[in-house]
Amino acid sequence: MITFITGNKHKVIEAENIFKLFGVELEHINLGYMEPQGTLEDVAKFGAKYACQELNKSVIVEDAGLFIRALNGFPGTYSSYVQDSLGNQNILKLMDGVDDRYAEFRSVIGYCAPNSEPKVFLGRIKGQIAFEERGSFGFAYDPLFLVEEEDKTFGELTTKDKNQFSHRRNSLEKFINWYTNQRDE
Ligand code: ITT
Ligand code: NA
């Protein structure tokens, strides 16, 4: 059993579905932790260690973000704040007339077990910033994020479809593979 610490209910739904694919049990706790300034990895390590010490059990946390190349990686580690303050329409304005639409979502899972150092697992997915919001599935930047192979935004994909290849699927799959192997050793 793994405990996922997050305050984001959309992450919980996606993670529950991904864990089910691998037959690993997941519980969810909304603990809340301070996020230091730094990379996704710094935040994930800090959060995992903090929550593990608070609860005295093995936990995962996730720090994620959308990195837009033409905006030098913005909103990146500020994604949560920028989503709440600017929102998708203002991101589209920043991208007005910009030809380079390349963007990627990154997800870093931080794992920590009692009395050990945290480990991190990075997942990514490449895409494009759409010219308008499309679809109403998912959350936050999903309607903006175009997956070229599908010709659909994350907002047009069901959770099940998004979970086939999302940044969160990739980071969680890396974690689950590592976790189930080290348990068997
Ligand atoms: P927790 O820290 O409590 O887990 P959070 O929403 O604050 O929840 P992050 O700190 O990782 O999560 O912030 C990442 C932000 O990036 C998130 O709030 C969204 O705005 C955005 N984001 C991350 N993954 C996303 C996804 O799959 N689809 C759309 N937006 C996403
Ligand atoms: Na957060």
Side-chain angles (χ1 to χ4, degrees), residues 11 33 35 63 80:
K11 287 186 177 182
Y33 55 92
E35 293 187 3
D63 202 43
S80 176

Side-chain angles (χ1 to χ4, degrees), residues 6-8 11 35 62-65 79-80 83 105 139-142 162 167-168:
T6 178
N8 184 323
K11 287 186 177 182
E35 293 187 3
E62 183 202 29
D63 202 43
S79 292
S80 176
Q83 176 61 217
F105 266 125
F139 66 103
Y141 301 99
D142 280 345
K162 178 180 173 185
H167 51 314
R168 185 158 297 109

